[in-house]
Amino acid sequence: MKSREYYLELLNKNIKNPKMIAHCLASEAVMRSLAERFGEDAEMWGMAGLMHDIDVEFTQGDSLRHGPEGAELLRKEEMPTEAVEAILLHNEKATDIKRSKRFHHALSAGETITGLIFAVALVYPDRKISSVKTKSVVKRMKEKLFAASVNRDAIMECEQIGIPIDEFATLAIAALAPIESELGF
Ligand SMILES: [Fe+2]
């Protein structure tokens, strides 16, 4: 695996939208926390979070290319096989394989909850992630019209890896709060 600095530069070459970069950095932070919780490899899980959407701009919204093309690019960039697999499977629509491992579900749930937390922060008076309460995130999980594009089923995969949704929200808020200014909050 190459360095974070190398991957971050590669990410910035492929993604121009600052909101997407913020999503990638947020996904990295949540994945690092999840890895620490499970005693997994925090650097590798973090890099999977950081790089999972590398192909999002050059695949131009083609849901059958998003995932496989990023995985292929990252395989050539020395991303470990397990991370490449998790990245491929974060978009199940583009493959016949289903997510089955802890790493797969962690990436799916972890990258997705970042969107919900961003949306919840933006309706707080101070618009800060550090102000977001676990209770608000859990409440918004049930309001399908709020941040409607955020896939609740993907977030609920946290429970398949043994983390109840409230605990998962707490972990994700705690991972994002320290880097909120970097994320544009
Ligand atoms: Fe993503």
Side-chain angles (χ1 to χ4, degrees):
M1 191 164 73
K2 295 186 181 177
S3 68
R4 179 179 190 272
E5 195 186 7
Y6 178 88
Y7 286 125
L8 189 56
E9 198 184 313
L10 184 64
L11 187 72
N12 280 294
K13 276 187 200 145
N14 284 279
I15 298 183
K16 297 300 163 199
N17 178 352
K19 289 200 171 131
M20 268 312 299
I21 296 288
H23 165 69
C24 295
L25 292 169
S27 301
E28 177 193 6
V30 172
M31 286 301 284
R32 281 184 190 275
S33 289
L34 282 169
E36 279 159 18
R37 187 199 140 109
F38 288 123
E40 297 276 1
D41 182 337
E43 192 61 23
M44 181 171 65
W45 282 41
M47 290 307 96
L50 183 69
M51 303 303 281
H52 76 282
D53 275 337
I54 180 108
D55 64 9
V56 73
E57 291 186 356
F58 67 75
T59 56
Q60 299 176 304
D62 183 338
S63 65
L64 295 178
R65 290 172 59 204
H66 174 53
E69 293 199 12
E72 191 49 38
L73 186 159
L74 292 166
R75 200 188 315 274
K76 293 181 188 138
E77 294 288 355
E78 298 174 18
M79 187 68 78
T81 307
E82 296 153 77
V84 168
E85 189 180 86
I87 290 166
L88 171 68
L89 296 181
H90 96 273
N91 180 22
E92 272 185 342
K93 275 180 267 175
T95 153
D96 294 333
I97 313 160
K98 295 274 170 250
R99 290 189 282 274
S100 58
K101 296 180 184 163
R102 183 194 259 171
F103 195 178
H104 306 162
H105 294 303
L107 181 58
S108 175
E111 70 112 347
T112 308
I113 199 169
T114 66
L116 187 61
I117 293 172
F118 283 17
V120 171
L122 292 175
V123 297
Y124 267 59
D126 65 1
R127 300 166 68 90
K128 291 285 177 202
I129 292 174
S130 46
S131 300
V132 170
K133 299 272 182 290
T134 295
K135 211 169 63 176
S136 319
V137 177
V138 173
K139 188 181 82 168
R140 297 295 192 178
M141 278 293 287
K142 294 170 203 135
E143 295 171 14
K144 303 289 161 171
L145 293 178
F146 178 84
S149 65
V150 174
N151 182 344
R152 272 52 171 189
D153 293 335
I155 296 177
M156 286 309 291
E157 286 180 45
C158 65
E159 302 206 330
Q160 292 185 46
I161 53 172
I163 309 182
I165 183 61
D166 52 342
E167 201 183 309
F168 188 57
T170 303
L171 176 148
I173 296 163
L176 299 180
I179 58 160
E180 65 184 338
S181 60
E182 211 186 324
L183 303 176
F185 285 85

